[in-house]
Amino acid sequence: MIRTHLRYHRPDTPDDAAALLAEHHGRVAVLAGGSQLLPRMHRGEVDLDHVVDLRGLGLRAIERTGGRVRLGAMVTYDDALASALLAEAVPLLPRVARGVTGGRQLTGHATLVGALCHAFPGTDMPGALSALGATVELHGPDGPRECPVDEFLLGAQSIDRRPGEFVAAVTVDGVARSGYCKVKHATGSWPIATASAIEDGDALTVTLGAVQARPLRIVIPDPTRSAVDDAVAAAVTAPWTDVLAPGDYRARIAPVVARRALTELREGAHA
Amino acid sequence: MTTTPTPPHSLRTAAEPDTVPDPPPGAPDLHETDGHQPLRRDGDLLLTGRARFVDDIAPRGLMHAAILRSPHPHALIRGVDATRARERADVEVVLTGADAVDLATPLPHFFEPSIVGCRTTEFRCLATDRVRWVGEPVAAVVATSLAAAEAALDDIVVDYEPLPAVLDADEALREDAPVLFEEWGDNRLGLFPFAEGDAAAKIAAAPHVIRDELRVGRQHVAPMETRGYVAEWEPGGRLTLWASTQNPHPLRTNLATTLGVPEDRVRVVATRMGGGFGHKFNGYGEEPLVCLLSRLADAPVKWIETRKDCLLVGAREFTHRFEVGFDDDGVVLGLSDRIVGNIGCLAPWGGWSMTFPAGMTFPGPYRIADYAIESVPVVTNKAPWNGFRGYGKEQAAMALERIMDLVAEHRGIDPAEVRRRNFIPPEAFPFWTAAKHLDSGEYAAALDKALALAGYDALRERQAAALAQGRHLGVGIGFELTPEGGDFAGSFVRGFDTSTVRVHPSGAVSVLTGVTSPGTGNETSIAHLVAREFGIAVEAVGVTQGDTDSCPYGFGNFTSRSLATGGAAAVLAARELRERMADAASALLDADAADFEFRDGAVVSRTAPETSLTFAELAETIYRRGLAAPGLDQPLLEVTRIDLPHNFHHVPDDQGRFSAYPSFPYSAHVALVEVDAETGVVEVLEYSAIDDCGVVISPGFVAGQLYGAIAQGIGGALWEEVPYDEDGAPAAETFKHYLTPRAPDLPSFRLEHQHTPSPFTLLGTKGAGESGVGGAMAALLNAVNDGLRPLGVHAHRVPLTPPVVLDAIVSGGAP
Ligand SMILES: Cc1cc2nc3c(=O)[nH]c(=O)nc-3n(C[C@H](O)[C@H](O)[C@H](O)COP(=O)(O)OP(=O)(O)OC[C@H]3O[C@@H](n4cnc5c(N)ncnc54)[C@H](O)[C@@H]3O)c2cc1C
């Protein structure tokens, strides 16, 4: 049960939102879909006096900006699944969204940006957005700021968000060819290891998610089995341990997940 | 220390007839299964979300309770300062362990360990001077809202002095281990030995011997609805407790004792249950606690268990160290298994007693003359166990079935064939083992049906073809014998129960029964049985359960006994009423009472069908003219009966054998899995099973139980576990960590049934409800190991999570 008396805010402009967040800094959280935030408040894991709902800001568009694609902070998994633009320009995102569990109850309101901001290592989005070279667009009391996703993600459940800031959108590269692989124990399990494989001209990269506290982008010089295994093994230095799997398990399967993502990139998704 | 699991002789049940009485003339054939069953009562309410559960109960002026729990696995409590919490404006009551000592006696055990020769101790509803597990209740708050109650917990300051803790059972057995209950001297709760013949000698002389180990992790029931209680202690002294509980009457008795209230002034209402499985056996400290809080608050008080608190309650953490001797043909010559159960801390909850069936169930469906099984419950600083469907019987199934496969592998014989060579043959029943009098069985026939259903030979071919492509399919057999209906004299875990049948003047019929429903549909089946006796529509029969104000004393719901006890009692009561009504019809219509049959809502003469009365006319006439009209001598249309004792053998025979369980359903399972050898992930591809629970009253409900049991067994075999962290706290706090199977994790099951009636129960039923859990766990354990065979490794650690399976693969060689 939420133990504190909460004040709910629904600002209409980015500046109002930033002002509220700055004013109550330390006692306030951004509310997107609420699928992480509210259960955590119920369990007494976070203790707040204010929530700032972003619904009034109209941040739910998926649109082209130059060569890139921008997703507003309130874009849900269902939005990503329904988007013709993503299907064509960034198929990795709907591919990932398809494998997110929780059913319609979750996918209809949980946001991609919320997942990024939660920055829990054992999830899909941080790795996928890192693979796409995402840029995080923040808005704060001093106006907008941009931050590459790899710098935004500081560590497990830790992001570079300054007082008063919220994420307004992420922009990603258009990447027509990609492959994805996720290994988890059972349907209900958090992802244990994910890999996004991306081909950009001649360059081949695999980005591992859930394997370490932060996503790991690995350049694959040569897609042969042993070369991939070696590149991954060399890159994984501090595998993540949680209730579901110890770090050594993640380290063991990381090359497998990488190879399978590369296979999907080459052969297309089967599922 | 030696202990004996045999109950004291003085507690034996009086009559132990081995035969079932002949049905009265004209009664329906109880062994006939016509495949017809009525629709589940309230199925529409459940499906449309309108059914009411305990959390829907909200008396006027309701207040809310929150409980402060120990953050330490083992610590002394030096003091509790609740001053600040008491000062909060929205807080009504703060209760500490010290406060509660004068308000409530120690808690009666669900199952007093000393009855079966174990050590015991006393527990209070709140810890007083020492905590022994993370999560142990220390203080409670009542406030005007749940949020306020939870917030106030932060204002209670407990001064703990941490003590060394022990979490592992093997470590707890070491001499230098921290001791939980100092008066015991060590951490052993007891010892349950089950032996016949001379296992050690037979193993020593056997041509082949295998020694191995099997470990099962700590698991949890995971009911959809957690526990909850709403207490209303009225100023006049009357106490009502709405509880999501499996045992309303024993709970009432225990509340009366603990709280010092006359039992008749306490009313317990067992609300509709969203999953029980043993999690809701009574014995929890919160039961009297919530009542006390209501008295102190002078208001109704509600407490609902959080999911995190629910996940504290454990089960199934066992280690088996077994040894089996066998001949060239795979016939088992001698077997031993030393089973250690890590029961967490002892508590008044009864779950520790699962260590008894864990050993007692051996040697399962197999004829093994020489065996020596020991089951040792060990206390540690984990949270206590409560019951979990399977109740330890799944342990025997896993160990025995794994042993059969290991023997088969060793001898190069098909695992199905090894089982056939070891089964108890049908003509050997009834069959005695050290602690079971087996009723009846066609084990080989059931296995063969399961193999046919699975297409076993084709599975083996597919397996070989897949392996040629580098894929690891595994085929696993699991055969499970499931002792059901246990009777433990001296406790409230009894093997009989009580039902009242009442015929109203309108012809409506009420059944009030001491058995409760955990959601299985037994109320529908009981109505069906009674309607059949009276030849009336099932809709005319109402069934009331779980309300101690209206129902006869009963023991509730456990060990798959509802129909064999409450159902049979209702049939016996209905039959007695039928006789009374036939006598009345005889007087009114001037025909022979034995000539009447009850059908289609009427009482009809068989020889002269025009001589009849409707059932309702007859009932009304008896009320209106009984004792006034000639021949209408018995106007009481209400009868209360217990079912007969059946196949209990509490007094050991000349060979020391006894049997606390009356019926022995069984099931045969075949699973097909694929093991991803690179990741250890196991996918369940196909599943087939045959069950035999004797006569089936409601085929749909029996199948429903089997579906659930298999799903629960697969979850237990592959994913479900509550690990503890180094600080002694449980690490799985949500369903993202405690992984029960979801629909995409399971194939559709192929189920068929075999019916070997019990000669000892009135209805010929054997209990359906738990059967299937152990068979599924065993089938999956074997299937995964079968898939690993080409890699030359075994995985003997359940659940077989991907890290466990990959560990086994990477370890290479030595299983
Ligand atoms: C049943 C269930 C199943 C799930 N299955 C999966 C799965 O299979 N794979 C997977 O990867 N994940 C899974 N998740 C996690 C899911 O992806 C996240 O819960 C969800 O995407 C978070 O988004 P939200 O909009 O609900 O965030 P919220 O709960 O609203 O917010 C999450 C956190 O981010 C902050 N935040 C949100 N938006 C912003 C913003 N714009 N700027 C700054 N801070 C912000 C919030 O303050 C909060 O701290 C599952 C979750 C549930 C409940």
Side-chain angles (χ1 to χ4, degrees):
Chain A
M1 190 54 55
I2 296 174
R3 299 170 176 196
T4 47
H5 292 282
L6 262 191
R7 182 82 201 276
Y8 170 87
H9 305 270
R10 189 171 170 157
D12 296 327
T13 68
D15 287 341
D16 288 351
L20 282 164
L21 290 167
E23 182 187 345
H24 303 294
H25 180 66
R27 304 295 305 158
V28 62
V30 176
L31 174 68
S35 64
Q36 287 303 329
L37 185 64
L38 295 180
R40 296 188 71 218
M41 291 169 76
H42 272 281
R43 293 196 293 264
E45 293 167 8
V46 279
D47 179 19
L48 302 167
D49 298 324
H50 303 266
V51 292
V52 174
D53 191 341
L54 301 185
R55 272 170 189 73
L57 305 183
L59 299 174
R60 210 170 157 176
I62 304 175
E63 67 209 350
R64 263 190 210 283
T65 56
R68 307 194 90 204
V69 176
R70 175 192 277 124
L71 295 92
M74 296 304 285
V75 168
T76 65
Y77 289 114
D78 278 352
D79 297 339
L81 286 167
S83 163
L85 174 57
L86 287 186
E88 180 215 318
V90 200
L92 181 65
L93 289 177
R95 166 75 179 86
V96 174
R98 236 187 344 267
V100 168
T101 58
R104 297 300 292 270
Q105 278 175 303
L106 181 88
T107 55
H109 70 122
T111 64
L112 280 62
V113 168
L116 178 71
C117 292
H118 186 49
F120 179 63
T123 52
D124 285 289
M125 254 328 129
L129 289 173
S130 171
L132 294 168
T135 305
V136 181
E137 296 182 2
L138 295 119
H139 192 94
D142 302 330
R145 172 172 79 94
E146 290 195 355
C147 179
V149 70
D150 292 341
E151 290 170 25
F152 179 72
L153 292 167
L154 298 175
Q157 294 188 275
S158 168
I159 54 176
D160 176 15
R161 190 170 74 84
R162 299 175 191 164
E165 282 186 339
F166 64 93
V167 176
V170 291
T171 55
V172 296
D173 292 334
V175 176
R177 284 179 48 71
S178 54
Y180 193 64
C181 175
K182 165 160 68 175
V183 168
K184 57 180 181 172
H185 293 353
T187 304
S189 141
W190 288 117
I192 305 296
T194 72
S196 307
I198 294 220
E199 196 178 53
D200 187 7
D202 288 344
L204 204 54
T205 62
V206 168
T207 304
L208 298 176
V211 172
Q212 303 212 128
R214 301 168 63 239
L216 257 185
R217 188 154 25 181
I218 303 168
V219 177
I220 304 294
D222 163 11
T224 60
R225 183 185 170 121
S226 59
V228 175
D229 287 3
D230 290 347
V232 172
V236 176
T237 51
W240 174 251
T241 288
D242 63 14
V243 195
L244 294 175
D248 63 354
Y249 175 75
R250 288 189 158 88
R252 275 176 190 159
I253 65 168
V256 180
V257 181
R259 274 191 264 120
R260 289 181 186 179
L262 287 164
T263 303
E264 185 176 296
L265 167 68
R266 218 167 33 241
E267 298 173 5
H270 295 292
Chain B
M1 180 183 61
T2 57
T3 59
T4 160
T6 315
H9 295 190
S10 60
L11 297 174
R12 64 173 298 194
T13 356
E16 301 195 353
D18 268 350
T19 50
V20 164
D22 289 332
D29 177 2
L30 293 174
H31 286 206
E32 181 190 295
T33 47
D34 57 9
H36 167 79
Q37 75 168 74
L39 288 177
R40 177 190 292 269
R41 303 210 147 178
D42 295 346
D44 51 346
L45 293 184
L46 287 162
L47 279 178
T48 54
R50 287 175 297 152
R52 284 164 56 85
F53 295 85
V54 69
D55 201 12
D56 297 315
I57 308 265
R60 279 172 75 94
L62 181 67
M63 296 203 182
H64 300 266
I67 295 173
L68 185 71
R69 293 174 182 274
S70 166
H72 298 287
H74 201 180
L76 295 176
I77 298 176
R78 285 194 298 220
V80 181
D81 181 357
T83 318
R84 278 203 299 137
R86 290 199 168 99
E87 284 165 357
R88 293 174 74 113
D90 41 16
V91 166
E92 201 68 25
V93 178
V94 179
L95 190 68
T96 66
D99 305 333
V101 165
D102 294 333
L103 302 174
T105 67
L107 308 170
H109 283 261
F110 176 78
F111 192 110
E112 170 51 50
S114 60
I115 295 176
V116 286
C118 289
R119 288 157 163 171
T120 187
T121 192
E122 285 188 346
F123 297 95
R124 298 277 176 168
C125 61
L126 293 170
T128 51
D129 51 356
R130 188 160 162 178
V131 288
R132 294 182 177 82
W133 44 282
V134 169
E136 186 166 358
V138 171
V141 171
V142 177
T144 46
S145 72
L146 179 56
E150 288 185 354
L153 296 180
D154 293 342
D155 282 347
I156 302 175
V157 183
V158 184
D159 182 10
Y160 291 105
E161 179 183 328
L163 297 173
V166 61
L167 300 173
D168 178 81
D170 288 340
E171 282 172 25
L173 287 173
R174 294 214 315 244
E175 266 185 18
D176 57 348
V179 174
L180 270 75
F181 301 100
E182 267 135 20
E183 64 276 21
W184 298 0
D186 61 38
N187 292 315
R188 214 176 303 249
L189 179 71
L191 168 70
F192 299 121
F194 302 93
E196 286 187 289
D198 187 345
K202 287 290 162 58
I203 294 168
H208 312 286
V209 176
I210 292 173
R211 287 180 194 86
D212 215 327
E213 193 176 293
L214 173 66
R215 284 178 174 272
V216 184
R218 182 180 170 97
Q219 304 193 331
H220 163 79
V221 167
M224 260 199 273
E225 179 208 33
T226 58
R227 282 186 302 136
Y229 311 103
V230 179
E232 183 165 21
W233 200 322
E234 292 165 34
R238 208 178 141 74
L239 167 65
T240 302
L241 183 73
W242 291 269
S244 190
T245 180
Q246 291 175 248
N247 321 92
H249 276 100
L251 172 53
R252 180 181 63 165
T253 305
N254 291 346
L255 288 177
T257 307
T258 313
L259 301 171
V261 196
E263 188 167 356
D264 66 298
R265 241 160 292 168
V266 181
R267 177 185 180 201
V268 173
V269 182
T271 48
R272 186 190 294 281
M273 189 166 286
F277 308 109
H279 182 74
K280 294 171 183 172
F281 290 162
N282 72 304
Y284 291 101
E286 290 94 346
E287 294 157 355
L289 178 63
V290 176
C291 299
L292 268 186
L293 293 174
S294 168
R295 200 182 94 192
L296 296 171
D298 198 11
V301 170
K302 176 186 286 185
W303 175 77
I304 303 287
E305 186 178 46
T306 64
R307 182 59 62 190
K308 179 178 164 183
D309 291 351
C310 184
L311 274 156
L312 286 169
V313 182
R316 282 195 193 156
E317 187 170 357
F318 281 100
T319 303
H320 301 259
R321 294 182 179 94
F322 56 81
E323 203 171 5
V324 55
F326 48 101
D327 68 14
D328 292 348
D329 298 327
V331 173
V332 173
L333 304 172
L335 169 69
S336 72
D337 188 2
R338 185 177 153 80
I339 306 167
V340 172
N342 181 344
I343 63 167
C345 188
L346 184 66
W349 331 343
W352 62 269
S353 66
M354 292 187 285
T355 51
F356 177 87
M360 181 274 296
T361 305
F362 281 85
Y366 302 109
R367 180 151 69 178
I368 302 174
D370 298 271
Y371 61 90
I373 311 298
E374 272 184 9
S375 183
V376 184
V378 176
V379 293
T380 65
N381 293 110
K382 293 183 174 178
W385 288 3
N386 207 348
F388 190 173
R389 188 187 199 181
Y391 218 77
K393 305 156 200 172
E394 78 289 344
Q395 297 299 315
M398 275 187 284
L400 283 164
E401 293 306 286
R402 191 65 207 121
I403 286 168
M404 288 296 146
D405 268 32
L406 289 170
V407 169
E409 191 176 316
H410 186 284
R411 300 311 307 139
I413 306 171
D414 186 89
E417 182 56 26
V418 167
R419 287 172 174 79
R420 284 190 205 100
R421 291 177 190 176
N422 284 287
F423 277 141
I424 302 163
E427 62 279 9
F429 291 93
F431 186 89
W432 268 110
T433 70
K436 295 188 298 300
H437 185 242
L438 300 181
D439 42 13
S440 60
E442 297 262 3
Y443 299 154
L447 177 59
D448 287 340
K449 283 185 188 137
L451 296 174
L453 189 62
Y456 184 68
D457 296 336
L459 291 186
R460 290 285 179 207
E461 286 164 24
R462 280 163 59 192
Q463 184 180 25
L467 186 61
Q469 298 167 4
R471 291 172 54 208
H472 294 83
L473 299 192
V475 182
I477 295 174
F479 199 99
E480 177 191 1
L481 177 80
T482 322
E484 294 286 37
D487 183 43
F488 293 87
S491 75
F492 286 136
V493 183
R494 298 307 314 272
F496 69 92
D497 222 298
T498 309
S499 293
T500 298
V501 177
R502 183 183 295 156
V503 178
H504 301 273
S506 64
V509 174
S510 298
V511 183
L512 303 124
T513 178
V515 300
T516 58
S517 172
T520 53
N522 68 37
E523 66 291 340
T524 308
S525 300
I526 292 171
H528 177 57
L529 285 170
V530 169
R532 213 166 61 167
E533 293 295 322
F534 287 133
I536 58 176
V538 67
E539 293 75 21
V541 181
V543 177
T544 304
Q545 298 172 296
D547 185 341
T548 60
D549 263 10
S550 44
C551 296
Y553 202 98
F555 302 104
N557 170 255
F558 48 89
T559 188
S560 310
R561 60 193 269 290
S562 304
L563 230 48
T565 59
V571 166
L572 293 173
R575 284 185 174 170
E576 199 169 319
L577 282 174
R578 237 175 74 123
E579 262 175 61
R580 292 181 192 178
M581 293 179 78
D583 284 343
S586 155
L588 290 168
L589 298 173
D590 199 16
D592 184 2
D595 190 38
F596 285 106
E597 54 181 342
F598 287 61
R599 63 168 159 85
D600 305 326
V603 184
V604 187
S605 157
R606 237 181 303 259
T607 47
E610 65 288 354
T611 304
S612 78
L613 278 168
T614 68
F615 185 80
E617 281 168 344
L618 179 56
E620 182 166 351
T621 306
I622 294 170
Y623 276 92
R624 288 186 185 278
R625 298 176 56 202
L627 297 182
L632 292 193
D633 302 331
Q634 176 47 293
L636 176 61
L637 292 189
E638 173 167 328
V639 169
T640 300
R641 291 288 297 264
I642 59 166
D643 58 301
L644 291 172
H646 30 61
N647 197 27
F648 291 123
H649 303 272
H650 293 309
V651 182
D653 70 1
D654 51 4
Q655 294 171 58
R657 303 178 303 195
F658 65 96
S659 190
Y661 285 80
S663 83
F664 299 89
Y666 53 91
S667 52
H669 306 245
V670 181
L672 176 70
V673 302
E674 177 159 3
V675 181
D676 181 336
E678 287 187 312
T679 62
V681 172
V682 174
E683 189 182 353
V684 188
L685 300 177
E686 293 179 20
Y687 201 97
S688 308
I690 300 288
D691 83 310
D692 188 341
C693 58
V695 171
V696 169
I697 308 295
S698 303
F701 296 159
V702 167
Q705 288 305 299
L706 197 56
Y707 277 114
I710 291 169
Q712 225 162 20
I714 292 175
L718 296 183
W719 304 297
E720 298 184 29
E721 183 164 20
V722 180
Y724 269 62
D725 64 23
E726 0 17 296
D727 300 329
E733 299 187 340
T734 75
F735 282 149
K736 293 298 278 185
H737 300 147
Y738 191 80
L739 305 178
T740 58
R742 304 193 182 181
D745 295 314
L746 302 172
S748 64
F749 304 151
R750 284 190 289 248
L751 304 184
E752 284 182 9
H753 310 276
Q754 173 173 299
H755 305 290
T756 315
S758 163
F760 304 118
T761 61
L762 179 71
L763 306 173
T765 57
K766 290 187 176 178
E770 289 182 275
S771 193
V773 174
M777 293 182 86
L780 267 295
L781 174 61
N782 281 333
V784 171
N785 276 281
D786 190 53
L788 294 176
R789 259 184 89 171
L791 301 168
V793 297
H794 291 155
H796 283 185
R797 169 72 174 80
V798 172
L800 293 156
T801 61
V804 167
V805 173
L806 194 61
D807 255 346
I809 293 172
V810 172
S811 75

